[in-house]
Amino acid sequence: MNFFQLEVFLHVVEHGSFTKAGDRIGLTQSGVSHNITALETELGVTLLKRDRKGITLTTAGEQVIPHMRAIAANLAHIEQKIAAVNGMEVGKITIGSFPSFTARFIPQLFSIFKEKYPNIDLLIHEGGYEEILKWIEEGTVDIGFAAKPVKNVEFIPLLNDPLSAVVYEGHPLSGKTSLNLEDFVDQPFIMLRSGCETLIEDRFLEAKIKPNISYDIKDNQTVLSMVAGKLGITIMPDLALPEKPERIKSLPLNPELSREIGLVMKSAKHLSPVAKEFTKVVQDHFIG
């Protein structure tokens, strides 16, 4: 077993394909297959299942992959330390982010970081809060962006993102300056299931109001399209709202409701040197 075989295996798992993994690391499909077979032979277990649905981990693969990711992360730390000693900045950082944060902030953050460290690769995995926290736990990403509440990770607060009511143009409530929870009674409600639903449900529960949930939707744009189509009204974070809304109107909530967004990681102390630099860039941008 060698480090290159581990790298090949991790790329196959990440991309779900021998061909895509090979393109990433400069191997043919047969070269990827050879390295995986050699690794499985050395370990004496089958790590991957191959069928018409694609490539998935076996039980043995699921058990060993966290350790393989830890080995790869430690090797990356060693390479970065040696590069620092030699006066070079090299390496890569894998980051987890949710869609509305990605769209609004990631391009600018990446641009700032790449200007300072042009030789460091920045990779991104996009998903919901639960996926990001799982990726942190498994070592799939080095750091991530998520909103509270979070468990079993370190959290560095960055900003508060207000939540607003969203109604379609011409809705009976659209003429108000703000909405309270009582305004939602008997209104068809579209629940955005992208991570903020806990905040919304808790606020309704505190007010002893049961929203008339007509739809449960994960995608921000789908929710906005459904509101514009007069299928219901919703509550969603301001970051998820378009800069130039069409056929919809957002109204502040009274009392206010917001989500606290921050950096999440297993341990700031054990981040790689380049990951620590990225967190510093992020904190300087939001906190100063």
Side-chain angles (χ1 to χ4, degrees):
M1 182 173 64
N2 58 54
F3 289 127
F4 185 68
Q5 290 169 347
L6 293 185
E7 183 182 5
V8 173
F9 173 71
L10 291 174
H11 275 292
V12 170
V13 173
E14 178 182 350
H15 296 287
S17 161
F18 279 26
T19 302
K20 290 179 181 178
D23 290 342
R24 180 69 184 175
I25 54 182
L27 284 180
T28 62
Q29 183 176 347
S30 62
V32 172
S33 180
H34 174 76
N35 277 277
I36 296 297
T37 300
L39 178 61
E40 291 177 327
T41 301
E42 180 70 25
L43 294 177
V45 293
T46 302
L47 300 172
L48 297 172
K49 291 184 288 187
R50 309 162 183 83
D51 53 36
R52 292 180 180 178
K53 296 180 181 179
I55 296 171
T56 55
L57 288 168
T58 62
T59 301
E62 290 176 348
Q63 291 177 349
V64 302
I65 195 168
H67 304 288
M68 291 183 173
R69 284 176 172 145
I71 291 170
N74 287 332
L75 179 60
H77 286 203
I78 293 170
E79 291 173 342
Q80 290 163 23
K81 288 288 188 183
I82 296 300
V85 169
N86 291 328
M88 299 180 296
E89 294 290 350
V90 298
K92 71 174 182 178
I93 312 168
T94 307
I95 297 152
S97 180
F98 54 95
S100 58
F101 189 92
T102 302
R104 191 67 62 91
F105 295 114
I106 287 297
Q108 187 175 9
L109 292 173
F110 277 21
S111 179
I112 294 170
F113 186 82
K114 291 292 284 185
E115 186 174 342
K116 190 175 182 181
Y117 301 104
N119 297 320
I120 295 175
D121 293 329
L122 297 171
L123 309 177
I124 189 160
H125 291 250
E126 191 174 75
Y129 301 156
E130 290 184 4
E131 288 176 293
I132 293 165
L133 295 176
K134 183 182 179 184
W135 293 334
I136 292 286
E137 182 181 352
E138 294 176 344
T140 303
V141 301
D142 300 303
I143 53 179
F145 296 97
K148 282 186 172 182
V150 296
K151 292 181 180 179
N152 305 319
V153 294
E154 289 190 24
F155 182 89
I156 300 174
L158 298 175
L159 73 152
N160 284 311
D161 181 28
L163 275 67
S164 296
V166 185
V167 302
Y168 54 83
E169 287 184 352
H171 189 280
L173 297 173
S174 62
K176 302 191 71 169
T177 56
S178 65
L179 295 188
N180 54 48
L181 296 187
E182 287 75 14
D183 291 319
F184 290 89
V185 174
D186 298 328
Q187 294 286 339
F189 190 82
I190 304 169
M191 179 64 81
L192 175 61
R193 298 281 178 187
S194 64
C196 291
E197 64 270 19
T198 302
L199 286 175
I200 298 168
E201 289 169 341
D202 287 349
R203 179 59 64 87
F204 275 117
L205 192 61
E206 289 170 8
K208 298 180 180 179
I209 294 172
K210 186 176 181 180
N212 177 25
I213 299 176
S214 301
Y215 304 97
D216 290 288
I217 306 294
K218 288 185 177 182
D219 181 70
N220 297 334
Q221 190 56 50
T222 302
V223 171
L224 291 169
S225 296
M226 293 179 75
V227 173
K230 302 183 179 181
L231 295 175
I233 63 176
T234 192
I235 295 173
M236 63 192 310
D238 283 3
L239 275 181
L241 297 174
E243 293 184 11
K244 296 180 179 179
E246 295 182 4
R247 297 185 294 150
I248 60 170
K249 182 177 181 180
S250 63
L251 300 165
L253 292 173
N254 184 23
E256 294 181 354
L257 178 62
S258 65
R259 60 177 175 174
E260 186 175 16
I261 297 171
L263 274 166
V264 289
M265 62 206 72
K266 273 187 180 179
S267 167
K269 186 183 297 184
H270 296 114
L271 285 177
S272 69
V274 293
K276 286 180 180 178
E277 285 300 310
F278 183 79
T279 61
K280 184 177 184 300
V281 167
V282 171
Q283 288 178 273
D284 286 346
H285 180 76
F286 284 104
I287 303 170

